[in-house]
Amino acid sequence: MKLYSDEELATILDQAVFRLISEAADRVGLECYVVGGYVRDIFLERPSNDIDVVVVGSGIAVAEELKRMVGRKAHLSVFKNFGTAQLKFRQKGVEYEVEFVGARKESYSHDSRKPIVEDGTLEDDQNRRDFTINAMAICLNKNRFGELVDPFNGLADLEDGIIATPLDPEITFSDDPLRMMRCVRFATQLNFQIEQDTYEALERMADRIKIVSGERIKDELNKIILAPHPSIGFEYLQRCGLLNIILPELAALDIVEQKNGRAHKNNFYHTLEVLENVVSRSEECGVRSEDSLWLRWAALLHDVGKTKSKRWDPAIGWTFHNHNLIGAKMVPVIFRRLMLPMDAKMKYVQKLVDLHMRPIVIADDVVTDSAVRRLMNDAGEDIDDLMTLCEADITSKNEVRKKIFLENFRMVREKLADLKEKDYVRLLQPVIDGNEIMEMFHLKPSREVGVLKQFLKDAVLDNRVENEREPLMQLLMEKARQMGLKS
């Protein structure tokens, strides 16, 4: 981060947009400050076009005056019930979104995170902020333009990499329990430490998260998952007890059992390692973080079925047979509870959880054309993401075994590339379809039709015949005779 004097801050804010806000505030005779994340990001040297402005008085009045100054192209939305306004406009080729709110103080009831709001001073408004690094304000009025107001030493916490609350953290989290998720999220995004008193309050207040909607929790979880190192956040969530409430299926993996001197690995920390591997592999391929959200979710959930599938076998030790199938069935339950989308995105995550063992099984044996063709058929257009997940899943500390797996994965990828080059959709879907089978043997949709379709598909996938009409027809007629069907 970089430290700035008030004079330097005035120079940084000497942009048309802030001079316009300054003039609008002075015209209506009200104190005006840019606050929160925009101020924080100035010191972190991070770009931001979303501007939050606190007005000591009517924020709506300043927004309306600014709208008059900017002109017709600006779009003003006023929310009188909340005393807020939003102005969207373009200035010198840059799109701005400015939120105006009157300074206020808040009080809460125990069973709700909706505050009772009253007009307040700048100090009241800073007191209600979630963290010290988000409670800094810079004055925009002409006579104090660029003056930093930092009553809670947020600048020092930024410099030290600390997440702390302005007031008693227990009160802060009790008033609005979503702040606990935001605490972990900021620590993850910025790679900061959570201050000790604040962390201990997280542990004590974790149960309060139950009054927060799945929608709001989901938003914070997604931001944690999209961070450069999401494992930081999930380790915090697990340690303070929040994860056991919001995602108990993942929290349950944090256990190591030992029997007869044989222990299995900690699958929670294995999962975090896989998640980090997916992040780094996606970055290496030039994939933007927001485009890998659902692949990251698949990494996070790929082993959730292990708790239910764990068994002790005296002959071979701990086993997790069919954990992929069990985990795939758990995905819709988790998505529904967290209000994640129940559409193609959920199906994608479910598919990857279901199939994530397949490439590993292939890579642990002779990499046959048949196995690769079947994998390609089942994974379809998600095959590359599946391979990325499976390569990330190789976290063995045995370097020799790890090298063998990754070399075999390279061979699998080569065969997949060859199939793609030859138009795998055409290659893997038999040229004789179900409609033609029904017409040929005078059948209605039935089990017999399904058997014949699968027979042809297996023949193609196993590469027993070319996917061409004549050899497939010969196989079909022979199978139909065995089943007692006549054309």
Side-chain angles (χ1 to χ4, degrees):
M1 65 167 285
K2 193 166 183 179
L3 299 176
Y4 298 100
S5 66
D6 287 354
E7 292 76 17
E8 288 172 322
L9 288 175
T11 301
I12 291 169
L13 294 178
D14 193 15
Q15 307 169 35
V17 59
F18 291 109
R19 287 299 179 184
L20 285 169
I21 297 171
S22 175
E23 185 178 344
D26 286 342
R27 281 187 183 186
V28 297
L30 294 172
E31 282 183 52
C32 180
Y33 301 83
V34 59
V35 297
Y38 194 93
V39 177
R40 178 197 68 227
D41 288 344
I42 287 175
F43 293 100
L44 292 177
E45 300 182 277
R46 300 200 313 177
S48 178
N49 288 330
D50 293 337
I51 302 167
D52 291 322
V53 173
V54 164
V55 178
V56 183
S58 172
I60 294 173
V62 177
E64 290 174 338
E65 180 61 30
L66 181 59
K67 169 73 166 71
R68 283 190 285 272
M69 293 167 58
V70 174
R72 290 180 305 168
K73 291 185 178 179
H75 178 73
L76 177 65
S77 301
V78 174
F79 310 95
K80 287 188 177 179
N81 288 345
F82 300 97
T84 64
Q86 180 190 75
L87 191 68
K88 294 182 180 180
F89 62 98
R90 191 175 183 84
Q91 194 72 26
K92 294 189 175 180
V94 180
E95 294 284 347
Y96 289 103
E97 187 175 298
V98 186
E99 300 273 354
F100 292 88
V101 62
R104 60 193 187 182
K105 55 184 175 181
E106 298 175 344
S107 57
Y108 292 80
S109 63
H110 183 75
D111 59 349
S112 173
R113 53 179 296 268
K114 293 181 179 178
I116 300 167
V117 179
E118 304 172 77
D119 292 341
T121 63
L122 175 65
E123 182 182 4
D124 290 329
D125 201 89
Q126 288 177 298
N127 284 343
R128 73 178 183 83
R129 298 276 161 177
D130 51 7
F131 307 110
T132 60
I133 62 173
N134 295 334
M136 297 182 289
I138 301 174
C139 188
L140 296 179
N141 296 97
K142 185 176 181 180
N143 62 338
R144 295 171 54 209
F145 192 84
E147 179 184 314
L148 178 67
V149 183
D150 181 19
F152 304 109
N153 295 316
L155 199 55
D157 285 346
L158 264 185
E159 195 170 13
D160 293 338
I162 295 293
I163 303 293
T165 58
L167 304 177
D168 182 338
E170 193 161 314
I171 295 173
T172 298
F173 294 149
S174 180
D175 283 350
D176 184 356
L178 184 65
R179 289 169 175 164
M180 294 188 287
M181 293 296 298
R182 286 170 57 82
C183 178
V184 173
R185 188 248 293 182
F186 280 119
T188 308
Q189 288 178 326
L190 301 176
N191 197 12
F192 279 16
Q193 295 290 316
I194 298 176
E195 180 264 338
Q196 187 63 29
D197 288 344
T198 304
Y199 175 76
E200 289 173 1
L202 281 179
E203 292 182 311
R204 290 193 300 272
M205 305 304 296
D207 204 55
R208 284 280 285 161
I209 201 68
K210 291 177 181 177
I211 72 167
V212 180
S213 72
E215 182 80 22
R216 303 304 298 275
I217 291 172
K218 172 258 295 182
D219 290 343
E220 294 300 324
L221 274 178
N222 281 342
K223 290 173 183 176
I224 291 170
I225 289 174
L226 289 174
H229 293 287
S231 63
I232 294 171
F234 284 99
E235 187 167 357
Y236 266 129
L237 290 173
Q238 175 69 343
R239 283 170 46 205
C240 75
L242 282 167
L243 194 66
N244 193 49
I245 298 170
I246 61 178
L247 197 45
E249 299 89 345
L250 182 61
L253 296 176
D254 188 9
I255 188 172
V256 175
E257 285 195 69
Q258 187 168 332
K259 199 164 186 176
N260 297 347
R262 301 175 74 172
H264 63 76
K265 65 188 173 187
N266 185 307
N267 287 302
F268 174 74
Y269 286 98
H270 163 73
T271 294
L272 297 190
E273 192 174 350
V274 174
L275 178 58
E276 289 289 331
N277 288 343
V278 162
V279 171
S280 62
R281 286 176 183 276
S282 297
E283 287 174 351
E284 287 168 7
C285 296
V287 178
R288 297 182 309 166
S289 60
E290 56 267 34
D291 293 333
S292 67
L293 174 62
W294 304 110
L295 176 56
R296 295 183 187 204
W297 266 106
L300 194 68
L301 300 180
H302 81 284
D303 273 351
V304 290
K306 281 191 170 179
T307 303
K308 293 183 177 180
S309 66
K310 182 167 66 176
R311 300 288 184 273
W312 169 256
D313 184 330
I316 58 177
W318 294 102
T319 67
F320 303 92
H321 294 314
N322 294 324
H323 74 272
N324 55 311
L325 301 176
I326 294 170
K329 290 178 182 177
M330 294 165 69
V331 169
V333 177
I334 293 170
F335 267 53
R336 189 173 292 110
R337 186 180 69 243
L338 291 175
M339 300 181 76
L340 288 159
M342 299 297 292
D343 55 13
K345 297 180 179 70
M346 185 278 289
K347 293 289 187 184
Y348 164 90
V349 173
Q350 188 176 35
K351 180 200 283 189
L352 263 58
V353 172
D354 184 11
L355 295 179
H356 82 270
M357 292 300 294
R358 287 272 294 281
I360 293 174
V361 171
I362 294 172
D364 201 23
D365 203 348
V366 178
V367 182
T368 66
D369 287 350
S370 173
V372 172
R373 290 162 77 92
R374 286 180 176 278
L375 179 65
M376 173 75 89
N377 177 74
D378 292 343
E381 61 185 18
D382 300 318
I383 186 64
D384 288 334
D385 285 353
L386 177 62
M387 291 301 298
T388 297
L389 173 60
C390 292
E391 288 163 349
D393 199 15
I394 305 303
T395 61
S396 171
K397 301 301 180 280
N398 183 327
E399 290 301 322
V400 173
R401 181 169 170 75
K402 187 174 181 178
K403 186 175 180 180
I404 292 171
F405 264 110
L406 293 177
E407 174 60 21
N408 282 0
F409 275 137
R410 186 190 62 77
M411 293 170 60
V412 172
R413 280 194 179 272
E414 283 182 359
K415 290 180 182 290
L416 289 170
D418 186 52
L419 274 176
K420 284 184 182 180
E421 193 175 320
K422 293 177 180 176
D423 184 6
Y424 72 91
V425 173
R426 181 183 60 79
L427 280 173
L428 302 182
Q429 297 302 319
V431 296
I432 301 173
D433 63 15
N435 290 329
E436 188 172 353
I437 290 172
M438 286 190 288
E439 184 178 337
M440 190 181 305
F441 297 105
H442 313 292
L443 295 171
K444 292 181 178 181
S446 59
R447 187 188 70 83
E448 286 85 356
V449 177
V451 169
L452 291 172
K453 281 177 61 180
Q454 189 61 49
F455 175 73
L456 293 183
K457 191 166 191 175
D458 288 341
V460 170
L461 291 176
D462 292 337
N463 208 19
R464 296 203 306 269
V465 294
E466 291 295 322
N467 190 8
E468 295 174 357
R469 188 172 185 79
E470 187 175 337
L472 280 177
M473 188 62 75
Q474 290 178 3
L475 280 179
L476 177 62
M477 298 305 291
E478 182 180 336
K479 182 65 174 177
R481 280 195 298 274
Q482 293 173 6
M483 295 172 62
L485 299 175
K486 295 182 179 179
S487 60

